[in-house]
C-alpha cells in the first residue's frame, strides 16, 4: 500500500483565500484523522471520522474550518477564509479501526501570507 | 484527556552511543505509539506498544501500563537517527484521540 497520501505538499496562499487540503487514507482503514502541528501547540487533533462519519470535531478551531469525507477513500479539510495564524503543517492519518495504530501522511505545509 | 510528558527535551549524542527516551502519561492508556519525525517533517511509525516490549533492529520500546510510562531505547545511534521523537497515547472512551508529547529533539553527531 502507498500509505496515506496528502496533497498538496506545500501551499502558499494569501489571507482571505480558500484553501483545500486533500487526503486519501490507507485502503481498508475505517478511521481518519486530521491533525495540525504548530510550534506553539505541537500536534493536535482537529477532527476524527469513523466510517466516513464525523465523530469528534471538537478540535476544529473555528467555523472557518470544515472537513468532509464523502467516501472511504477521500477526505478534505477546507479553510475559508484563511488567516496568517492558520499557517502550520496539516497531517492526515488513518487507522484500521479506532484505537489501533495510526499512520500519518507526509503532511501539507500551509503558509498564509 | 490524558497528559503526556516526554524527557529529556533535548539530547545530543556521538555516533555509536546508546540512549533512553521516556514518556510519562497521566492516565491508563489503551493506545501508545512512538514516532520519529525526520528533518523533512515526516512522522514515521516506530512502535505501537500499549503494553509490553518490542524490538525492531537497533530500536526497542517498553511500556509499563500499570506505572504509566513508556521507554524508547536507541542503541548504536547513527546520524540518521537525528530528529524529534514523539510518544502519543489515548485512553478511555476517546481511544481514537492521540495526545502527543512535546517530543525529544535528538541530535547525533558524527
Amino acid at each position: 500500500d502507498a500509505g496515506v497520501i496528502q496533497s498538496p505538499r506545500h501551499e502558499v496562499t494569501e489571507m482571505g483565500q480558500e484553501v483545500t487540503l486533500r487526503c486519501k487514507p490507507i485502503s481498508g482503514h475505517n478511521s481518519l484523522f486530521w491533525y495540525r502541528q504548530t510550534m506553539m501547540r505541537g500536534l493536535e487533533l482537529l477532527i476524527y471520522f469513523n466510517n466516513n462519519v464525523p465523530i469528534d470535531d471538537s478540535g476544529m478551531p473555528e467555523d472557518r474550518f470544515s472537513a468532509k469525507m464523502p467516501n472511504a477513500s477521500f477526505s478534505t479539510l477546507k479553510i475559508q477564509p484563511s488567516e496568517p495564524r492558520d499557517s502550520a503543517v496539516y497531517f492526515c492519518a488513518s487507522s484500521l479501526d479506532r484505537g489501533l495504530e495510526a499512520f500519518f501522511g507526509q503532511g501539507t505545509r500551509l503558509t498564509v501570507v | 484527556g490524558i497528559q503526556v510528558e516526554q524527557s529529556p527535551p533535548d539530547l545530543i549524542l556521538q555516533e555509536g552511543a546508546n540512549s533512553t527516551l521516556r514518556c510519562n502519561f497521566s492516565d491508563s492508556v489503551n493506545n501508545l505509539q512512538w514516532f520519529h519525525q525526520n528533518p523533512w517533517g515526516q512522522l514515521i511509525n516506530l512502535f505501537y506498544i500499549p503494553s509490553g516490549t518490542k524490538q525492531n533492529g537497533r530500536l526497542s520500546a517498553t511500556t509499563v501500563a500499570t506505572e504509566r510510562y513508556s521507554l524508547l531505547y536507541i542503541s548504536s545511534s547513527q546520524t540518521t537517527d537525528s530528529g524529534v521523537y514523539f510518544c502519543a497515547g489515548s485512553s478511555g472512551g476517546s481511544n481514537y484521540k492521540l495526545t502527543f508529547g512535546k517530543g525529544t529533539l535528538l541530535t547525533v553527531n558524527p
Side-chain angles (χ1 to χ4, degrees), chain B residues 60-95:
Chain B
S60 64
T62 295
T63 297
V64 184
T66 53
E67 297 187 20
R68 302 178 183 176
Y69 73 88
S70 184
L71 302 174
L72 178 68
Y73 305 96
I74 305 174
S75 64
S76 304
S77 57
Q78 301 176 357
T79 56
T80 52
D81 294 333
S82 295
V84 182
Y85 289 79
F86 290 103
C87 71
S90 65
S91 68
S94 298
N95 64 347

Side-chain angles (χ1 to χ4, degrees), chain A residues 18-38:
Chain A
E18 177 180 296
V19 175
T20 300
L21 311 182
R22 296 171 175 79
C23 175
K24 176 179 169 56
I26 294 172
S27 177
H29 284 194
N30 73 9
S31 292
L32 183 138
F33 313 84
W34 284 98
Y35 282 83
R36 180 171 67 175
Q37 185 177 31
T38 60

Side-chain angles (χ1 to χ4, degrees), chain A residues 90-110:
Chain A
Y90 291 81
F91 287 99
C92 178
S94 71
S95 65
L96 192 60
D97 203 347
R98 59 182 289 161
L100 299 183
E101 186 174 9
F103 296 86
F104 283 70
Q106 292 184 301
T108 295
R109 182 173 295 277
L110 174 65

